[in-house]
Amino acid sequence: MKRDTTAEFQQVLSQCRDIFDKKMKDYGAAWRIMRPESLTDQIYIKANRIRSLQRKKEHLVNEGVEPEFVGIINYSAMAIIQLQLGVVEQPDLEPQQASELYMQVLNDAFDLMSRKNHDYDEAWRSMRISSMTDLILMKILRVKEIEDNNGKTLISEGLDANYFDMINYAVFCLILINEGKQE
């Protein structure tokens, strides 16, 4: 059966946006005070919990891995926005503004996925969710190293490229989970 990656990807992004928008209504743009390094650590916590649950095969907190993948997507989008706008001392975005910035990041992630997916011929569909989780964790470690080097790289992609890759891997994992793929 031929899968429609564009539709599946957009469906996941729509679910993530719904959660982002609802949290904006609940909390406002409080996340705007977070340094990118703090957002990186939040993403690490989410990815580490996913890996832990994949290894243990059971969980004691009544949440599966799906909300954690959504968290990776949303925190990565926030981190990209922080890189673009800089950190502030007080929240400075209205919900509508934040939602527009968020959607621009997700649209950019979608465009990147479309180009890479063409070149890689949907290889992600044959990957294990656990492998993509490991790739997300590796990207986090790369980001931490770049952050520790004050954002400087000699030959490697920068921070934003790694955050975009984390968004796309997390979306792929949610698509596979929605299709019933288990490990």
Side-chain angles (χ1 to χ4, degrees):
M1 177 171 115
K2 178 92 169 99
R3 304 280 188 202
D4 185 352
T5 298
T6 296
E8 290 173 306
F9 202 94
Q10 291 296 339
Q11 180 183 11
V12 169
L13 294 185
S14 177
Q15 293 166 348
C16 293
R17 181 184 186 175
D18 183 57
I19 290 168
F20 179 85
D21 287 346
K22 286 176 179 171
K23 288 196 177 203
M24 281 298 302
K25 287 180 180 149
D26 286 349
Y27 304 129
W31 56 270
R32 285 282 292 130
I33 70 157
M34 294 182 79
R35 292 169 285 199
E37 298 87 353
S38 299
L39 290 162
T40 301
D41 286 343
Q42 288 299 307
I43 298 164
Y44 172 77
I45 290 167
K46 302 288 184 192
N48 194 62
R49 180 169 186 268
I50 293 166
R51 185 171 162 145
S52 174
L53 292 176
Q54 289 169 340
R55 286 179 168 169
K56 293 176 184 172
K57 307 289 186 199
E58 70 172 327
H59 48 88
L60 300 180
V61 176
N62 195 21
E63 284 186 355
V65 298
E66 292 91 340
E68 306 299 354
F69 282 119
V70 170
I72 289 169
I73 294 163
N74 288 348
Y75 278 122
S76 294
M78 288 183 241
I80 292 167
I81 293 168
Q82 293 297 74
L83 291 173
Q84 293 169 346
L85 300 182
V87 177
V88 295
E89 297 301 318
Q90 292 293 318
D92 63 344
L93 295 176
E94 294 299 319
Q96 182 62 34
Q97 270 182 298
S99 185
E100 288 169 8
L101 291 167
Y102 173 84
M103 277 313 298
Q104 183 57 55
V105 169
L106 292 190
N107 288 336
D108 291 346
F110 174 79
D111 291 342
L112 175 65
M113 179 282 300
S114 295
R115 291 189 311 274
K116 285 187 172 185
N117 203 36
H118 173 271
D119 290 356
Y120 287 93
D121 205 22
E122 298 211 333
W124 63 271
R125 289 197 180 270
S126 298
M127 293 177 66
R128 295 175 184 94
I129 295 169
S130 60
S131 295
M132 285 191 270
T133 301
D134 290 349
L135 288 168
I136 291 168
L137 282 163
M138 179 193 66
K139 295 281 182 181
I140 294 166
L141 295 175
R142 286 180 177 181
V143 165
K144 285 181 169 211
E145 191 67 30
I146 294 168
E147 289 169 344
D148 290 347
N149 290 328
N150 298 316
K152 294 183 174 83
T153 61
L154 297 175
I155 193 170
S156 304
E157 297 176 311
L159 294 168
D160 59 343
N162 284 285
Y163 287 124
F164 277 117
D165 285 346
M166 287 185 252
I167 290 171
N168 287 338
Y169 282 127
V171 172
F172 290 155
C173 289
L174 287 169
I175 290 171
L176 293 175
I177 290 167
N178 289 340
E179 290 177 351
K181 185 171 184 178
Q182 301 296 322
E183 301 197 346

